[in-house]
DNA sequence: TCTTTACCCTATAACCATTATAGGGTTTCC
DNA sequence: GGAAACCCTATAATGGTTATAGGGTAAAGA
């Protein structure tokens, strides 16, 4: 199949597929005489794998590492566990800091409820004074 | 004061201060004969304002907009409220999607607890199969 | 056949907010 | 006088796309 079909099938932009190829996440496919890329079922699966990893917020570098395990399955998978643990910790940290941020924003928001001049706006004076 | 002192005082990298100046978020300061930037107390306050806004996850464009209100205080501050509401909604959406992601990651993580070959790793097969 | 439409190609820049690097001048302290 | 610490500009890199420019190819209808 050609790149447009692959893109539609997996739900990825055509540009992004070419980008993944340049980054080494997708094996360079054969080409037709006219230069068009021709993809196989294996490409479909690899691209879908990459997309699922991205949905799990894995970085392209991490995905490349995981592909190493797919390609050489006779290694211990310790690093895979570690990677996931790292991601989970990271996501939890993100959630915590966003929740703290939400509190700050909400508190700031209550300082200006009516419509008045910017000079008196509790939000602006709130930020100017200190927001911590 | 010179740029290094300002940087230390506010807790911003020197490079970042020059960047803010180029972006129009910080008024260009006077220069010494040797070309060194000389900052005043007003610069300190503006830079601190920018930093506090950044800690609230406001974009540089939004910060520029807020500065417009600081500079011309006799406008209604409706847009300030709107901006904050937008941010709050955005942060809440982020938290929700991260919480969903955390669940997925944790579920995936339980699929591989022992150390064995990558070929049998429940994490890799889990991602390959489908993770939704 | 001609033409429109939809597709494909490469190369390069834009997005965002920084951080890094290269290459060079100035000040300060010992 | 020399080294460390500071300052300057300009440019590239980061991450993961998305957009743009400029051009070739293919499948469809008129």
């Amino acid at each position: 199949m050609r790149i447009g079909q692959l893109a539609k099938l997996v739900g990825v932009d055509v540009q992004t597929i070419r980008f993944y190829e340049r980054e080494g996440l997708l094996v360079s496919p054969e080409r037709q005489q006219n230069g068009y890329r021709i993809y196989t079922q294996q490409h479909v699966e690899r691209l879908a794998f990459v997309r699922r990893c991205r949905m799990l917020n894995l970085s392209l570098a991490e995905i490349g590492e995981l592909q190493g395990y797919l390609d050489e399955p006779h290694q211990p998978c310790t690093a895979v566990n570690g990677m996931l643990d790292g991601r989970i910790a990271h996501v939890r940290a993100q959630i915590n800091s966003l929740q703290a941020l939400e509190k700050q924003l909400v508190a700031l928001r209550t300082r200006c409820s009516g419509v008045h001049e910017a000079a008196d706006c509790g939000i602006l004076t709130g930020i100017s004074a200190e927001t911590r």
Side-chain angles (χ1 to χ4, degrees), chain A:
Chain A
M1 80 185 62
R2 301 198 310 207
I3 198 168
Q5 287 174 272
L6 177 62
K8 201 168 291 175
L9 195 60
V10 182
V12 184
D13 194 282
V14 164
Q15 308 256 50
T16 306
I17 295 174
R18 290 194 275 246
F19 169 72
Y20 287 163
E21 183 183 338
R22 275 202 304 284
E23 295 295 305
L25 286 171
L26 219 50
V27 175
S28 294
E30 301 284 316
R31 301 280 187 133
Q32 285 181 337
Q33 291 90 333
N34 55 19
Y36 287 15
R37 290 170 177 82
I38 297 300
Y39 292 96
T40 67
Q41 188 58 30
Q42 298 193 334
H43 287 102
V44 177
E45 279 154 26
R46 268 300 160 94
L47 182 57
F49 179 83
V50 172
R51 273 285 103 182
R52 287 190 216 106
C53 289
R54 289 293 301 134
M55 286 194 288
L56 296 171
N57 260 14
L58 300 182
S59 70
L60 298 188
E62 287 171 327
I63 297 170
E65 207 182 315
L66 286 186
Q67 289 193 340
Y69 290 95
L70 291 182
D71 292 333
E72 299 206 22
H74 295 299
Q75 313 167 64
C77 64
T78 334
V80 177
N81 291 302
M83 182 184 300
L84 225 57
D85 288 337
R87 273 291 120 189
I88 291 170
H90 186 227
V91 167
R92 286 181 176 154
Q94 274 186 296
I95 291 172
N96 284 338
S97 81
L98 282 174
Q99 283 173 337
L101 177 61
E102 187 199 351
K103 264 190 195 160
Q104 281 183 37
L105 289 173
V106 168
L108 198 55
R109 181 62 180 83
T110 64
R111 302 185 55 150
C112 175
S113 42
V115 178
H116 40 61
E117 282 200 342
D120 308 318
C121 180
I123 293 174
L124 287 172
T125 59
I127 300 176
S128 297
E130 192 158 10
T131 309
R132 199 173 304 138

